[in-house]
Amino acid sequence: MSKKKKGETLETLNKGFKVPDTYVIIFFVVCFAALLTYLIPQGMYETQEVSYMIDGAESTRTVIKDNSFQYVLDANGEPLKKGVGLFEAGGGVGLLNYLFEGMVSGDKWGSAIGVIAIILVCGGAFGIIMRTGAVEAGIMGMIRKGNGKEKFLLPVLFIFFSLGGAIWGMGEESIPFAMLLVPMVIAMGYDAVTGVLITYVATQIGFGTSWMNPFSVAIAQGVAGVPVLSGATFRVVLWIIFTGAGMAMMLFHANKVKKILYRLFPMYLTHISEMT
């Protein structure tokens, strides 16, 4: 058995490739994009203003005209190739000030800094709540008080996790709760799939139909140039419909499984029910 040499650590012993940090990857992507500006000619599109109605009010936005692309030409009539510099003044984007300009460009509805603020506030608040154990304590208290009332407890938990996905963007955070609740759901006479349905699946339904998720809705609306959190009424209606449909599917599955298990293992499930 070989002995560990002096000065060696787990990092020095591990010779495998490690994925660089996300910021390192983004930096090299920016460097590559900056290099391409010296190789690819500049071009431009013609734009036009269009009007649309949102929440009963008329708004306008700038869109690109179809088939309007053309190259920028130099004094000799050739396509112009002009690479970016290290710094660009007057709001221009340079290699070393791309981060700042990217955050502050745009209006108050679409600038990246507003989306970043929403993510920091909402994500930080959710992280603090999770660290305090308040969510876990509330779920456990709900389970204790709902003993013998599983038909009411399962829908409440489903709605709770769906709201978590819709309001806080809860997704992979539900996996620890699934690991916690699956044994309890099995003890109630259901199966593991029921536990996954009321946790992970519920959060994905809420995430997909969210009206205020800062990690998807706010970012997408900021990129699209529409007011952040607009169209909330329509999304709330979608959330109600899809959450109700998902809850109905979960209850149908849970009741079907419980009937089958009681028919196959009546004495065991009766004993488990008495223990819980």
Side-chain angles (χ1 to χ4, degrees):
M1 183 176 181
S2 61
K3 294 184 178 179
K4 181 179 177 181
K5 295 181 181 180
K6 186 177 179 180
E8 284 184 335
T9 63
L10 291 177
E11 287 78 9
T12 58
L13 288 174
N14 185 6
K15 302 296 183 179
F17 174 76
K18 292 184 179 179
V19 177
D21 187 82
T22 305
Y23 294 108
V24 175
I25 297 175
I26 294 175
F27 175 75
F28 280 105
V29 169
V30 172
C31 292
F32 178 69
L35 177 63
L36 290 179
T37 62
Y38 291 88
L39 303 176
I40 300 176
Q42 293 185 6
M44 59 182 298
Y45 288 90
E46 295 181 13
T47 60
Q48 61 182 356
E49 297 289 331
V50 295
S51 301
Y52 60 97
M53 301 296 294
I54 180 170
D55 295 332
E58 184 178 1
S59 300
T60 60
R61 62 176 301 185
T62 303
V63 298
I64 296 174
K65 289 185 178 180
D66 294 337
N67 302 319
S68 63
F69 176 80
Q70 56 184 342
Y71 287 108
V72 177
L73 304 179
D74 58 15
N76 298 322
E78 299 293 333
L80 177 64
K81 296 179 182 179
K82 183 181 179 182
V84 298
L86 292 179
F87 289 95
E88 294 288 343
V93 179
L95 178 61
L96 299 182
N97 67 324
Y98 73 91
L99 179 62
F100 175 78
E101 296 297 337
M103 288 192 298
V104 301
S105 61
D107 58 16
K108 67 177 182 178
W109 299 113
S111 62
I113 193 66
V115 176
I116 293 173
I118 292 177
I119 293 176
L120 288 177
V121 173
C122 296
F126 181 68
I128 292 173
I129 294 174
M130 293 292 291
R131 287 295 183 92
T132 61
V135 176
E136 182 178 347
I139 293 175
M140 296 303 296
M142 192 185 306
I143 291 174
R144 286 193 296 267
K145 292 182 180 180
N147 188 20
K149 301 178 181 178
E150 294 86 359
K151 290 185 178 180
F152 300 99
L153 179 61
L154 295 182
V156 171
L157 288 174
F158 193 96
I159 294 174
F160 173 81
F161 281 101
S162 181
L163 280 173
I167 297 175
W168 298 310
M170 193 176 183
E172 63 275 6
E173 296 87 355
S174 65
I175 295 177
F177 290 105
M179 297 172 64
L180 177 70
L181 292 178
V182 163
M184 298 180 182
V185 170
I186 293 176
M188 293 177 186
Y190 302 104
D191 62 347
V193 175
T194 304
V196 175
L197 286 173
I198 64 175
T199 53
Y200 186 75
V201 173
T203 58
Q204 298 310 299
I205 291 176
F207 194 99
T209 58
S210 171
W211 62 93
M212 60 178 297
N213 180 1
F215 306 108
S216 61
V217 176
I219 293 177
Q221 290 179 333
V223 172
V226 299
V228 178
L229 306 184
S230 60
T233 303
F234 174 72
R235 293 178 177 273
V236 169
V237 173
L238 285 181
W239 176 80
I240 294 173
I241 294 174
F242 281 93
T243 299
M247 187 167 54
M249 182 195 73
M250 179 271 298
L251 290 174
F252 173 79
H253 172 81
N255 293 331
K256 183 178 180 180
V257 167
K258 195 165 190 177
K259 290 179 181 178
I260 295 174
L261 292 179
Y262 265 111
R263 188 166 62 248
L264 297 177
F265 312 103
M267 296 181 62
Y268 172 75
L269 289 178
T270 301
H271 176 65
I272 291 294
S273 299
E274 292 175 353
M275 290 177 60
T276 57

PDB file of all heavy atoms in Angstrom, residues 17 20 31 58 68-69 84 88 117 209 240 245:
ATOM      1  N   PHE A  17      -9.535  16.665 -14.770  1.00  0.00           N
ATOM      2  CA  PHE A  17      -9.960  17.991 -15.227  1.00  0.00           C
ATOM      3  C   PHE A  17     -11.112  18.490 -14.364  1.00  0.00           C
ATOM      4  O   PHE A  17     -12.036  17.750 -14.049  1.00  0.00           O
ATOM      5  CB  PHE A  17     -10.386  17.931 -16.683  1.00  0.00           C
ATOM      6  CG  PHE A  17     -10.976  19.217 -17.180  1.00  0.00           C
ATOM      7  CD1 PHE A  17     -10.153  20.289 -17.480  1.00  0.00           C
ATOM      8  CD2 PHE A  17     -12.348  19.346 -17.340  1.00  0.00           C
ATOM      9  CE1 PHE A  17     -10.689  21.483 -17.945  1.00  0.00           C
ATOM     10  CE2 PHE A  17     -12.887  20.531 -17.800  1.00  0.00           C
ATOM     11  CZ  PHE A  17     -12.054  21.602 -18.105  1.00  0.00           C
ATOM     12  N   PRO A  20     -14.044  24.930 -14.872  1.00  0.00           N
ATOM     13  CA  PRO A  20     -13.752  26.252 -14.305  1.00  0.00           C
ATOM     14  C   PRO A  20     -14.996  26.896 -13.702  1.00  0.00           C
ATOM     15  O   PRO A  20     -16.130  26.497 -13.980  1.00  0.00           O
ATOM     16  CB  PRO A  20     -13.244  27.054 -15.512  1.00  0.00           C
ATOM     17  CG  PRO A  20     -12.873  26.032 -16.528  1.00  0.00           C
ATOM     18  CD  PRO A  20     -13.770  24.858 -16.309  1.00  0.00           C
ATOM     19  N   CYS A  31     -14.192  37.338 -24.159  1.00  0.00           N
ATOM     20  CA  CYS A  31     -12.937  37.518 -24.909  1.00  0.00           C
ATOM     21  C   CYS A  31     -13.058  36.963 -26.331  1.00  0.00           C
ATOM     22  O   CYS A  31     -12.595  37.579 -27.296  1.00  0.00           O
ATOM     23  CB  CYS A  31     -11.785  36.840 -24.169  1.00  0.00           C
ATOM     24  SG  CYS A  31     -11.336  37.638 -22.604  1.00  0.00           S
ATOM     25  N   GLU A  58     -51.878  51.496 -23.712  1.00  0.00           N
ATOM     26  CA  GLU A  58     -51.134  51.359 -24.955  1.00  0.00           C
ATOM     27  C   GLU A  58     -49.650  51.622 -24.710  1.00  0.00           C
ATOM     28  O   GLU A  58     -49.281  52.610 -24.067  1.00  0.00           O
ATOM     29  CB  GLU A  58     -51.661  52.324 -26.012  1.00  0.00           C
ATOM     30  CG  GLU A  58     -50.983  52.167 -27.371  1.00  0.00           C
ATOM     31  CD  GLU A  58     -51.560  53.095 -28.416  1.00  0.00           C
ATOM     32  OE1 GLU A  58     -52.472  53.875 -28.067  1.00  0.00           O
ATOM     33  OE2 GLU A  58     -51.109  53.041 -29.576  1.00  0.00           O
ATOM     34  N   SER A  68     -34.122  43.632 -43.472  1.00  0.00           N
ATOM     35  CA  SER A  68     -33.532  44.974 -43.507  1.00  0.00           C
ATOM     36  C   SER A  68     -32.042  44.976 -43.157  1.00  0.00           C
ATOM     37  O   SER A  68     -31.446  46.046 -43.025  1.00  0.00           O
ATOM     38  CB  SER A  68     -34.277  45.899 -42.536  1.00  0.00           C
ATOM     39  OG  SER A  68     -34.141  45.433 -41.192  1.00  0.00           O
ATOM     40  N   PHE A  69     -31.432  43.815 -43.019  1.00  0.00           N
ATOM     41  CA  PHE A  69     -30.017  43.772 -42.631  1.00  0.00           C
ATOM     42  C   PHE A  69     -29.127  44.272 -43.765  1.00  0.00           C
ATOM     43  O   PHE A  69     -29.359  43.988 -44.945  1.00  0.00           O
ATOM     44  CB  PHE A  69     -29.601  42.347 -42.270  1.00  0.00           C
ATOM     45  CG  PHE A  69     -28.132  42.221 -41.964  1.00  0.00           C
ATOM     46  CD1 PHE A  69     -27.646  42.579 -40.733  1.00  0.00           C
ATOM     47  CD2 PHE A  69     -27.251  41.765 -42.935  1.00  0.00           C
ATOM     48  CE1 PHE A  69     -26.294  42.469 -40.443  1.00  0.00           C
ATOM     49  CE2 PHE A  69     -25.889  41.653 -42.662  1.00  0.00           C
ATOM     50  CZ  PHE A  69     -25.412  42.007 -41.413  1.00  0.00           C
ATOM     51  N   VAL A  84     -13.624  45.872 -30.948  1.00  0.00           N
ATOM     52  CA  VAL A  84     -13.861  46.647 -29.729  1.00  0.00           C
ATOM     53  C   VAL A  84     -12.537  46.904 -29.029  1.00  0.00           C
ATOM     54  O   VAL A  84     -11.576  46.131 -29.142  1.00  0.00           O
ATOM     55  CB  VAL A  84     -14.817  45.885 -28.790  1.00  0.00           C
ATOM     56  CG1 VAL A  84     -16.167  45.673 -29.439  1.00  0.00           C
ATOM     57  CG2 VAL A  84     -14.213  44.562 -28.345  1.00  0.00           C
ATOM     58  N   GLU A  88     -14.567  51.625 -23.663  1.00  0.00           N
ATOM     59  CA  GLU A  88     -15.322  52.475 -24.571  1.00  0.00           C
ATOM     60  C   GLU A  88     -16.050  53.527 -23.753  1.00  0.00           C
ATOM     61  O   GLU A  88     -16.768  53.199 -22.809  1.00  0.00           O
ATOM     62  CB  GLU A  88     -16.327  51.660 -25.385  1.00  0.00           C
ATOM     63  CG  GLU A  88     -15.701  50.684 -26.359  1.00  0.00           C
ATOM     64  CD  GLU A  88     -15.056  51.371 -27.544  1.00  0.00           C
ATOM     65  OE1 GLU A  88     -15.368  52.556 -27.779  1.00  0.00           O
ATOM     66  OE2 GLU A  88     -14.236  50.731 -28.226  1.00  0.00           O
ATOM     67  N   ALA A 117     -31.365  43.039  -8.829  1.00  0.00           N
ATOM     68  CA  ALA A 117     -31.857  43.435  -7.508  1.00  0.00           C
ATOM     69  C   ALA A 117     -33.001  42.527  -7.053  1.00  0.00           C
ATOM     70  O   ALA A 117     -33.059  42.122  -5.887  1.00  0.00           O
ATOM     71  CB  ALA A 117     -32.310  44.895  -7.536  1.00  0.00           C
ATOM     72  N   THR A 209     -45.861  28.151 -14.362  1.00  0.00           N
ATOM     73  CA  THR A 209     -47.008  29.059 -14.506  1.00  0.00           C
ATOM     74  C   THR A 209     -46.880  30.268 -13.596  1.00  0.00           C
ATOM     75  O   THR A 209     -47.869  30.934 -13.309  1.00  0.00           O
ATOM     76  CB  THR A 209     -48.315  28.313 -14.190  1.00  0.00           C
ATOM     77  OG1 THR A 209     -48.250  27.777 -12.849  1.00  0.00           O
ATOM     78  CG2 THR A 209     -48.545  27.174 -15.156  1.00  0.00           C
ATOM     79  N   ILE A 240     -53.701  28.652 -11.255  1.00  0.00           N
ATOM     80  CA  ILE A 240     -54.852  28.005 -10.607  1.00  0.00           C
ATOM     81  C   ILE A 240     -55.294  26.779 -11.403  1.00  0.00           C
ATOM     82  O   ILE A 240     -55.561  25.708 -10.841  1.00  0.00           O
ATOM     83  CB  ILE A 240     -56.014  29.016 -10.457  1.00  0.00           C
ATOM     84  CG1 ILE A 240     -55.621  30.126  -9.470  1.00  0.00           C
ATOM     85  CG2 ILE A 240     -57.280  28.303  -9.983  1.00  0.00           C
ATOM     86  CD1 ILE A 240     -56.641  31.247  -9.381  1.00  0.00           C
ATOM     87  N   ALA A 245     -55.304  20.962 -11.770  1.00  0.00           N
ATOM     88  CA  ALA A 245     -55.212  19.731 -12.563  1.00  0.00           C
ATOM     89  C   ALA A 245     -54.148  18.799 -11.985  1.00  0.00           C
ATOM     90  O   ALA A 245     -54.354  17.581 -11.884  1.00  0.00           O
ATOM     91  CB  ALA A 245     -54.894  20.066 -14.014  1.00  0.00           C
TER      92      ALA A 245
END
